[in-house]
Amino acid sequence: MTRWTRGASRGLLAFLAIVLVSGAGWAGPHALAAKAPGGIITTVAGGVGGPGPATKVAIAPCTPQSEVSLDVSPCDVTFAGGRLYVTDSGARTLFAFAGSSMIRSIDIATGRLQTPAGDGVTGFGGDRGLATAAELSDPGGVSMDRHGNLVIADTGNNRVRVVAGRSGVFYGIAMTAGRIYTVAGTGAAGTRGDGGPAIKARLFAPSAARIDPAGNLVIAQDGFIGQGRPAPPRLRVVAARTGRFYGMAMKAGDIYTLTPKGPATLAGGHLALRIDHHGNLVMAESYSGRIVVLAVRSGTFYGRRMTAGHLYPLAVGGDPTGVAVDAAGNLVFADGGQGGNLVRVLAVTTGMFYGQHMTAGGVYTIAGGGSGGLGDGAPATSATLSLRHFGAAVAVDSAGNVAVTDPGDGRVRVVAAKTGTFYGQHMTAGDIYTVAGTGDLGFSGDGGPATRAELTAGLLAADPAGDAAIGSSFRVRFVPARSGSYFGLPMAAGRIYTVAGNGTPGVNIGIGGPATQAQIEVMALALDRAGNLVLADGYVERVLVVAGRSGTFYGQQMTAGDIYSVAGTGTGVLCAPFSGDGGPAVQAPLCAPNAVTTDNAGNLLISDSGFSRVRAVAATTGRFYGQQMTAGDIYTIAGDGQEGLKGDGGPATRAHLAICCNGFAALAVDGAGNLMITEIDSVRMVAARTGTFFGQKMTAGDIYTVARIPRDSGLVIYTLTVDSSGNLIFSEVFEGGLVKVLAARSGTFYGRPMTANHQYTVAGGGQPVLGDGGPATAVSLAGIGGLASAGRGLLIAEPGSGRIREVSP
């Protein structure tokens, strides 16, 4: 069969809901209330990264909103108070997402990065609390006012918020240093409220917030509606004091819409807003690709006569997406147009700027357009930049250096204006340097505390000791519960280490050698009883093992830290015909392996979804699942190769399985040895022995459905785990996502009393806040990428926050 689209399936399913209905033994309407007090949720791995060297922290400035619609997201880079401030919107595309919505700052002298606002969770929360614990949503422009307060256009929340630089009364609000406050916008999208208090007005996606020379707050309001259809953006002003500004009488604290006249109109899209040395409003429009100027007084600016209150276009060419003003008054802009990817300058006077002779009114390239790759440490015009579709932003620092967000490369770059030491680096005039970002989204902090690392928290596995393995697309990282030697490396408890993958995709590269040098695409992972890491490589149709220690596993001699193929031929792309049962697993083709686990005897179980089978690789020679097995050989233990849901109550090997092409799939084995299988709309169980399970009488080796969702709902079940008490744990993912437990017996689990065969919500369903240290049901989970039982706790991979969360009693 041809390859199904795993990447798309993985990401799309993360947003799907599953609505469980009564199967045999499952709770119906009499299930207990989901909101009862329960376990406490905490972060055990992942976070915003830093503080530390900015080039060691992953950032994602100006990321497009999706891979379907390439409307640029609002973003900014600005300089104030000796620090470069960057909006970090993370990556939330249609097919993947990671931690996001923060404000970063980089010290011009040391290059050290801090996160002054945002906890990496996208949402709204934390007003009047510490800014570092607040939730932002797609923050746009940032600036600093004359009091040292940080002003943030909180675009997705339809608000403008302020982080107080010192305690006092600002914008009519009593503020405490380090805390965050809303100063404009109710959170409801709209344009109402002019002439009244800004705090009671409606804003529509404010993309920038600047302070003008009079201290007024100028807000650029988004002009996109729906699916990118343009509508005129607005410029709104919150008066700092009562008086006359922009030709209008204004009252302190109230908000007003500017209505510019003249030869230009605002066309739509995001506005990148700056205020020049004359107080004029200079804007780059993402929709029209123009730079326009709103003159605040009459005079000659940028080579043309302007009248106060009128709007004028400037002829710069290209596709400007961000704009800044340098000390000489020149306009510096990012050109992300077709064939662009440049940083350019519109000279306002004739002279030498950025190592070039410029003539007033001319446009000159100062960075990008070369073929020298990233080009750090070389002339900026020989470097390549990746700005197109991203709405890149530019700023000029106090030394005259030009900073530009390079979102396609996951970096902030600086073009040195003069030779010297800036951002902790020696720089040569005219050369370009990376000052922030690793270029590797969601990856930082190896060797350090797990809670200070940045993660792409997609896949998750844990062992009874509490060790955790975290998988992203091309890498697996490990957090040990105790200090010791793992995968041939000394590791400290609670720190994070890469144990497999070099972060880039590849085909059968590095197999048989050090796992950290191999190129892999991780589709599923597990930790076996011997401490080995087992992963399904969804690109080459193989199951691989990273040896936790040296020894013989799955019929092979292995060296600690090296990676080996234990099943599949590595054909990739096109699946070979089904074959190989009863012979060596490495000679048997696999087709879309999308889940792995190990059973109580140590055998490796594989959801061979393209062949509609569950297969076992014997860890030792013996009799398992009613078959005689040889170590290292492969056998079908469920499924007859046909897709469907037939065969309940009969032998598992004669049943149809509906596991094909479900990007999120799971296998789990409980303490009694029963095998749980997620299918497209069901959870089915293969009984290990004859008895009663989840209210059903079962016969050893037969298969039974224990949960089902409506066939016409279009929804799927995609992940589950079983804890040490035999409880079945699964996820309902809609909006914030829910984690539920089907109790195998009566007792108290995850801080809640439970009755056998009833289901309970143990995490999710609350507010979109991080919520560490509070009830797990009081938070809204930012997606659920995987579940794992670890001791008394339950681990949840939360891709939207880039964290691993634990629910504990």
Side-chain angles (χ1 to χ4, degrees):
M1 63 172 285
T2 58
R3 170 177 304 277
W4 49 280
T5 309
R6 294 183 183 78
S9 184
R10 270 203 305 268
L12 287 171
L13 293 176
F15 296 95
L16 295 177
I18 58 174
V19 183
L20 293 170
V21 298
S22 281
W26 280 70
H30 60 285
L32 298 186
K35 295 292 185 181
I40 299 301
I41 194 165
T42 55
T43 294
V44 296
V48 301
T55 53
K56 300 294 185 181
V57 178
I59 63 173
C62 314
T63 305
Q65 294 296 311
S66 75
E67 292 178 12
V68 172
S69 174
L70 288 175
D71 296 339
V72 297
S73 63
C75 62
D76 197 21
V77 58
T78 195
F79 186 84
R83 303 189 70 86
L84 195 65
Y85 291 87
V86 184
T87 56
D88 187 345
S89 295
R92 278 174 316 286
T93 68
L94 183 62
F95 303 136
F97 45 87
S100 58
S101 295
M102 298 169 282
I103 305 298
R104 309 288 205 171
S105 72
I106 305 110
D107 186 90
I108 189 175
T110 65
R112 185 175 175 82
L113 177 141
Q114 294 179 331
T115 305
D119 62 9
V121 175
T122 296
F124 177 74
D127 248 17
R128 298 183 176 271
L130 290 175
T132 53
E135 282 76 41
L136 307 174
S137 180
D138 290 327
V142 292
S143 59
M144 187 171 286
D145 68 17
R146 65 183 67 181
H147 304 291
N149 303 312
L150 187 66
V151 182
I152 304 167
D154 195 356
T155 309
N157 285 321
N158 301 306
R159 288 174 165 92
V160 175
R161 303 170 80 182
V162 167
V163 180
R166 57 183 175 87
S167 298
V169 178
F170 310 104
Y171 306 96
I173 300 170
M175 300 186 181
T176 301
R179 294 178 177 263
I180 191 169
Y181 303 83
T182 295
V183 297
T186 63
T191 58
R192 297 178 183 175
D194 278 356
I199 199 74
K200 296 181 179 180
R202 292 189 177 191
L203 303 179
F204 184 84
S207 56
R210 305 291 181 200
I211 309 300
D212 72 12
N216 302 310
L217 173 61
V218 183
I219 303 167
Q221 185 168 289
D222 203 334
F224 276 132
I225 297 177
Q227 300 299 313
R229 291 185 291 109
R234 290 190 177 206
L235 291 170
R236 304 179 80 178
V237 174
V238 180
R241 55 183 172 83
T242 299
R244 191 167 185 83
F245 309 101
Y246 304 97
M248 302 171 65
M250 298 187 181
K251 180 182 176 182
D254 286 359
I255 192 169
Y256 303 85
T257 295
L258 302 185
T259 54
K261 305 172 184 178
T265 58
L266 295 176
H270 301 295
L271 289 179
L273 170 67
R274 298 285 178 179
I275 298 175
D276 69 16
H277 304 324
H278 305 285
N280 301 314
L281 307 187
V282 183
M283 294 158 281
E285 286 188 312
S286 67
Y287 184 77
S288 68
R290 300 180 306 167
I291 292 178
V292 294
V293 176
L294 174 60
V296 296
R297 60 182 175 85
S298 298
T300 300
F301 309 107
Y302 308 104
R304 66 180 301 175
R305 184 70 183 171
M306 298 186 182
T307 301
H310 286 55
L311 191 69
Y312 298 86
L314 300 182
V316 296
D319 186 10
T321 61
V323 65
V325 183
D326 69 15
N330 302 309
L331 293 188
V332 183
F333 61 95
D335 181 357
Q338 181 73 38
N341 294 313
L342 308 172
V343 178
R344 307 173 79 194
V345 172
L346 171 62
V348 296
T349 58
T350 298
M352 288 292 296
F353 307 104
Y354 308 102
Q356 301 181 46
H357 183 270
M358 299 186 182
T359 301
V363 177
Y364 302 85
T365 296
I366 63 169
S371 57
L374 195 62
D376 275 352
T381 51
S382 68
T384 58
L385 300 174
S386 184
L387 313 181
R388 190 170 180 233
H389 298 311
F390 293 94
V394 291
V396 180
D397 67 21
S398 57
N401 305 310
V402 175
V404 57
T405 58
D406 191 358
D409 293 315
R411 292 172 166 88
V412 176
R413 319 284 296 283
V414 161
V415 181
K418 57 184 178 181
T419 298
T421 299
F422 310 102
Y423 305 99
Q425 304 178 51
H426 178 74
M427 298 185 180
T428 300
D431 287 359
I432 194 168
Y433 302 85
T434 293
V435 298
T438 63
D440 194 346
L441 180 64
F443 177 74
S444 76
D446 253 15
T451 52
R452 288 178 56 183
E454 292 172 284
L455 304 175
T456 302
L459 301 168
L460 179 64
D463 61 20
D467 304 316
I470 305 161
S472 60
S473 295
F474 309 121
R475 187 184 280 116
V476 180
R477 304 172 81 181
F478 185 75
V479 181
R482 299 178 304 277
S483 298
S485 179
Y486 303 86
F487 306 100
L489 299 172
M491 297 186 184
R495 292 181 173 257
I496 193 167
Y497 305 85
T498 296
V499 294
N502 66 3
T504 59
V507 179
N508 296 316
I509 296 175
I511 307 303
T516 53
Q517 297 177 21
Q519 292 177 272
I520 56 177
E521 182 186 14
V522 187
M523 188 64 188
L525 55 83
L527 289 168
D528 70 15
R529 294 181 8 165
N532 303 310
L533 173 67
V534 182
L535 60 93
D537 187 320
Y539 191 81
V540 295
E541 321 290 1
R542 273 183 165 173
V543 174
L544 306 171
V545 167
V546 182
R549 57 183 172 84
S550 297
T552 300
F553 309 105
Y554 308 104
Q556 297 184 49
Q557 180 65 39
M558 299 185 181
T559 300
D562 285 0
I563 191 168
Y564 301 86
S565 177
V566 296
T569 58
T571 54
V573 186
L574 296 176
C575 296
F578 174 79
S579 65
D581 267 5
V586 292
Q587 297 178 15
L590 300 178
C591 185
N594 60 357
V596 291
T597 193
T598 56
D599 65 16
N600 298 340
N603 302 308
L604 172 60
L605 310 184
I606 305 166
S607 173
D608 198 355
S609 71
F611 291 135
S612 297
R613 287 175 162 87
V614 177
R615 304 171 82 180
V617 179
T620 58
T621 298
R623 190 165 184 82
F624 311 101
Y625 304 98
Q627 305 178 53
Q628 182 63 35
M629 298 186 180
T630 301
D633 286 0
I634 194 168
Y635 305 84
T636 294
I637 60 171
D640 63 358
Q642 297 188 64
E643 187 175 354
L645 287 167
K646 295 182 179 179
D648 270 10
T653 53
R654 297 181 186 175
H656 296 1
L657 299 183
I659 59 175
C660 178
C661 313
N662 181 7
F664 274 105
L667 300 174
V669 177
D670 68 13
N674 302 309
L675 171 63
M676 308 291 183
I677 307 168
T678 60
E679 304 189 42
I680 289 177
D681 58 4
S682 303
V683 175
R684 299 171 85 185
M685 189 179 102
V686 180
R689 58 180 174 82
T690 299
T692 300
F693 306 97
F694 299 110
Q696 295 190 62
K697 292 183 178 180
M698 300 186 184
T699 300
D702 286 0
I703 192 168
Y704 303 84
T705 296
V706 295
R708 178 173 292 158
I709 59 176
R711 297 298 303 272
D712 60 354
S713 69
L715 307 175
V716 296
I717 299 172
Y718 73 91
T719 187
L720 83 163
T721 189
V722 179
D723 67 17
S724 58
S725 299
N727 301 311
L728 183 64
I729 306 166
F730 57 93
S731 61
E732 285 188 8
V733 183
F734 69 98
E735 295 180 353
L738 298 176
V739 177
K740 291 192 172 184
V741 170
L742 173 64
R745 58 181 175 83
S746 298
T748 299
F749 309 103
Y750 310 104
R752 296 196 58 178
M754 298 186 183
T755 302
N757 305 324
H758 285 60
Q759 59 175 300
Y760 303 81
T761 295
V762 295
Q767 297 299 310
V769 295
L770 188 62
D772 271 352
T777 52
V779 304
S780 176
L781 297 171
I784 301 171
L787 301 170
S789 176
R792 298 176 63 206
L794 171 66
L795 299 181
I796 304 169
E798 190 178 22
S801 72
R803 286 170 166 86
I804 304 298
R805 316 292 297 281
E806 182 178 32
V807 179
S808 56

